[in-house]
Amino acid sequence: MTISDSDLINAAKDARENAYCHYSGYAVGAAIIDDNDHLHVGCNVENAAYPLGSCAEAAAIAAMCQEGGKRIVRIAVAGGSGDITPCTPCGGCRQRIHEFADESTVIITMDDSNDWQRYSIAELLPAGFHLD
Ligand code: THU
């Protein structure tokens, strides 16, 4: 059974609790529903060698691939330094999402009061790169 947007948001918030972000202090969680209706989560994982840090969306997408998901149906991203504030995916993660998205994919961001925004990948990454 497909989970609701608010349950997906809560899964992203829960994943954010495990963020390893000692350097930036900015904790991010991401939760994906894939084309098999399965849930996958990830958090950001930083490193003392700063460029080696990875984003929450990258972790959630890797988990989806590992478990056989092919498409992102919905992805929620919860980020912030203290309270949750709207965290639109970074440029690199827009391209990562684009790889597994279609025109019906929904990207959800939110703040702590559960006011949320919904985007398509075309809104976040117009003319995204495809390898033909
Ligand atoms: N971060 C994400 O996990 N996803 C994004 O889309 C934006 C940024 C992480 C990377 C880094 O660990 C921290 O947030 C601050 O940039």
Side-chain angles (χ1 to χ4, degrees), residues 56-72:
E57 297 93 320
I61 289 170
M64 179 189 83
C65 286
Q66 168 61 33
E67 292 172 31
K70 304 290 185 226
R71 311 301 301 163
I72 299 171

Side-chain angles (χ1 to χ4, degrees), residues 42-95:
C43 63
N44 56 332
V45 181
E46 298 183 349
N47 192 282
Y50 292 176
L52 296 182
S54 53
C55 286
E57 297 93 320
I61 289 170
M64 179 189 83
C65 286
Q66 168 61 33
E67 292 172 31
K70 304 290 185 226
R71 311 301 301 163
I72 299 171
V73 175
R74 284 177 292 153
I75 176 168
V77 183
S81 299
D83 289 347
I84 294 171
T85 52
C87 172
T88 49
C90 73
C93 286
R94 293 178 193 209
Q95 182 66 32

Side-chain angles (χ1 to χ4, degrees), residues 1-12 31-34 37-41 73-74 76 108 118:
M1 192 185 75
T2 302
I3 75 169
S4 66
D5 284 350
S6 72
D7 284 346
L8 189 66
I9 285 167
N10 285 333
I32 289 173
I33 290 292
D34 72 13
D37 217 18
H38 290 168
L39 174 69
H40 312 279
V41 299
V73 175
R74 284 177 292 153
I108 301 168
R118 294 161 65 94

